[in-house]
Amino acid sequence: MQLTSIEQLMLLQRLPQTGIAAYWRVLEQFSNLNTVFEVPPATLKGLLHEQARECLLALQKQGESHPLLQVVRKNIAWLHERNIHIVHIDNEYYPSLLREVKRAPLLMYVWGDPTLLNLPQIAIVGSRSPTTGGRTNAITFSRGLAEAGFTITSGLALGVDVAAHQGALQAKGRTLAILGTGIDQIYPARHVHIAEDIVAAGGAVVSEFPLGTGPLPSNFPQRNRIISGLSCGVLVVEAAVKSGSLITARYALQQDREVFAIPGSIQNPLSKGCHALIKEGAKLVECPEDVVEELQGILAFKHTELVEKHVQAPISRDVGGEHSSDEERILTYLGYDPVSFDALAEGTALPTGELMARLMTMEIKGLVTNMGHGYARVRS
């Protein structure tokens, strides 16, 4: 039975009673996944659940006709038809920050531009039922941070999450929505149009879960570790003391990320989680500039690192399909001599946040280069 590496990983994902910890136990034991599908399943005792071993035995006996393999191949065809990228842990698009996280996801399904996974990100999280002020803060901070060049990452949930995505969209910036469901199961369903807007604006929707995975409660803490793992820092807008947002913040601390919290009234129960984080060492912030000031060094370093990395190993210019209209406008204005950022902003009439995000993405794609005193096209 001949299996591609993607088929092997997707089969491993779908084995019964097999979670991320089991995936990593197997990988630590077998550097070559082919071995897992060839050895007698009984030898995997202690690594995989009995039901998973029984399924592997059936796969070995039935080969190409096994129903699980048929499901995986149908899933791959479905993903390709919809231009959804399958990013595995050794893929060039896999985010370097996330690779450092303990038990990082082996596979991610990306609807949208996969190059965004490696751009400097700020996670914005908070209550599903924020106050009016909390919702306003989420939009204001998201808009300001997007304009400063950060990609905004959140979980597409009700309340603060969706407000954060909307703030980035208002700034014509980039935003990533990380799901706790399969990529085909947008949750909550009312946010399908937000997901579509995110992708249409050059952002992406991301999931580590197999197609068809519903909103199981256990998936969301697992999703939260990706939100923090992708990001340079996590901003908590409003949160109760016991909440998913504080789980994300604690993951961020474990992952050596910066944590920011917006203070509020001592009478507001949704301020108590933020105040608890501040007491534990999170940075109190009152405006987007407070976050930018703290992270601007990381932003500059990450920008340089990405450009150098992709100069050495350029990403195909076909990523994400044809150039967007904004990219075409920038390329039309640019020549092979450097043009200053200010002149480019004036010539293209693009907002500064949008232009900065576009230029960063285009550098990673190998379309333009930052020459220090201006931008220029890359010679074909």
Side-chain angles (χ1 to χ4, degrees):
M1 180 172 59
Q2 296 296 315
L3 299 172
T4 67
S5 58
I6 292 296
E7 288 172 341
Q8 290 170 354
L9 286 167
M10 290 178 71
L11 280 169
L12 193 58
Q13 266 196 327
R14 286 189 171 274
L15 291 178
Q17 303 295 321
T18 305
I20 190 69
Y23 307 155
W24 276 105
R25 283 199 302 271
V26 169
L27 286 182
E28 287 161 2
Q29 187 73 25
F30 301 101
S31 57
N32 187 342
L33 269 183
N34 279 324
T35 310
V36 178
F37 295 92
E38 293 171 353
V39 299
T43 64
L44 300 173
K45 188 175 182 180
L47 296 175
L48 292 175
H49 191 277
E50 181 181 359
Q51 290 182 27
R53 300 198 305 273
E54 290 173 355
C55 185
L56 275 175
L57 182 60
L59 268 166
Q60 291 174 354
K61 289 180 176 178
Q62 297 176 31
E64 306 283 331
S65 64
H66 192 279
L68 194 59
L69 181 54
Q70 298 301 314
V71 167
V72 163
R73 287 179 172 168
K74 286 179 181 176
N75 285 173
I76 292 172
W78 187 91
L79 292 162
H80 284 325
E81 285 171 7
R82 288 156 181 79
N83 199 30
I84 294 173
H85 301 265
I86 306 171
V87 177
H88 61 81
I89 197 162
D90 294 322
N91 185 279
E92 62 184 332
Y93 304 138
Y94 196 95
S96 55
L97 273 180
L98 189 60
R99 194 179 277 118
E100 298 169 3
V101 171
K102 184 179 180 182
R103 293 176 180 170
L106 301 180
L107 282 178
M108 290 192 293
Y109 305 95
V110 183
W111 174 26
D113 187 351
T115 63
L116 266 64
L117 295 173
N118 271 294
L119 294 184
Q121 297 168 45
I122 293 290
I124 298 181
V125 297
S127 172
R128 284 177 167 79
S129 303
T131 63
T132 301
R135 185 182 300 277
T136 299
N137 283 337
I139 292 173
T140 300
F141 272 77
S142 176
R143 192 166 54 223
L145 291 167
E147 288 172 349
F150 286 101
T151 296
I152 306 301
T153 300
S154 199
L156 200 65
L158 297 169
V160 166
D161 284 20
V162 74
H165 294 306
Q166 289 169 335
L169 292 173
Q170 288 176 15
K172 299 190 182 300
R174 297 290 175 270
T175 183
L176 284 171
I178 315 300
L179 303 181
T181 58
I183 201 80
D184 60 333
Q185 304 282 318
I186 302 297
Y187 179 82
R190 72 180 80 171
H191 288 169
V192 168
H193 68 286
I194 300 291
E196 292 170 346
D197 290 346
I198 288 170
V199 174
V205 178
V206 181
S207 172
E208 68 171 307
F209 298 101
L211 294 182
T213 302
L216 303 175
S218 60
N219 289 351
F220 292 95
Q222 189 169 328
R223 181 273 311 266
N224 292 348
R225 90 194 191 289
I226 298 180
I227 291 176
S228 59
L230 285 167
S231 305
C232 304
V234 173
L235 169 65
V236 182
V237 177
E238 279 188 336
V241 173
K242 294 182 179 180
S243 65
S245 301
L246 262 65
I247 291 174
T248 307
R250 301 247 153 77
Y251 275 131
L253 291 170
Q254 291 170 15
Q255 296 160 355
D256 200 26
R257 309 293 194 258
E258 297 290 342
V259 177
F260 306 93
I262 300 175
S265 167
I266 60 172
Q267 309 302 326
N268 179 7
L270 295 179
S271 295
K272 292 188 180 298
C274 293
H275 293 171
L277 288 172
I278 292 167
K279 288 177 183 177
E280 293 171 11
K283 294 177 174 61
L284 184 157
V285 292
E286 298 176 313
C287 61
E289 290 73 21
D290 291 340
V291 180
V292 174
E293 182 178 353
E294 192 69 32
L295 292 180
Q296 60 187 352
I298 295 177
L299 180 65
F301 172 79
K302 185 68 174 170
H303 178 269
T304 303
E305 178 187 60
L306 285 170
V307 172
E308 288 177 350
K309 172 183 175 183
H310 291 290
V311 163
Q312 295 170 7
I315 290 175
S316 166
R317 297 188 186 187
D318 292 331
V319 172
E322 298 178 355
H323 306 322
S324 69
S325 58
D326 286 345
E327 288 179 352
E328 291 289 359
R329 191 188 314 182
I330 293 167
L331 288 171
T332 299
Y333 191 82
L334 280 178
Y336 297 109
D337 293 320
V339 177
S340 72
F341 181 86
D342 289 343
L344 195 54
E346 183 178 351
T348 60
L350 289 171
T352 56
E354 167 72 1
L355 179 58
M356 186 179 295
R358 283 290 183 195
L359 287 169
M360 193 176 294
T361 301
M362 290 170 74
E363 281 189 89
I364 290 171
K365 289 182 177 182
L367 299 173
V368 303
T369 183
N370 185 348
M371 303 181 73
H373 52 293
Y375 290 85
R377 295 183 69 149
V378 173
R379 294 182 184 274
S380 302

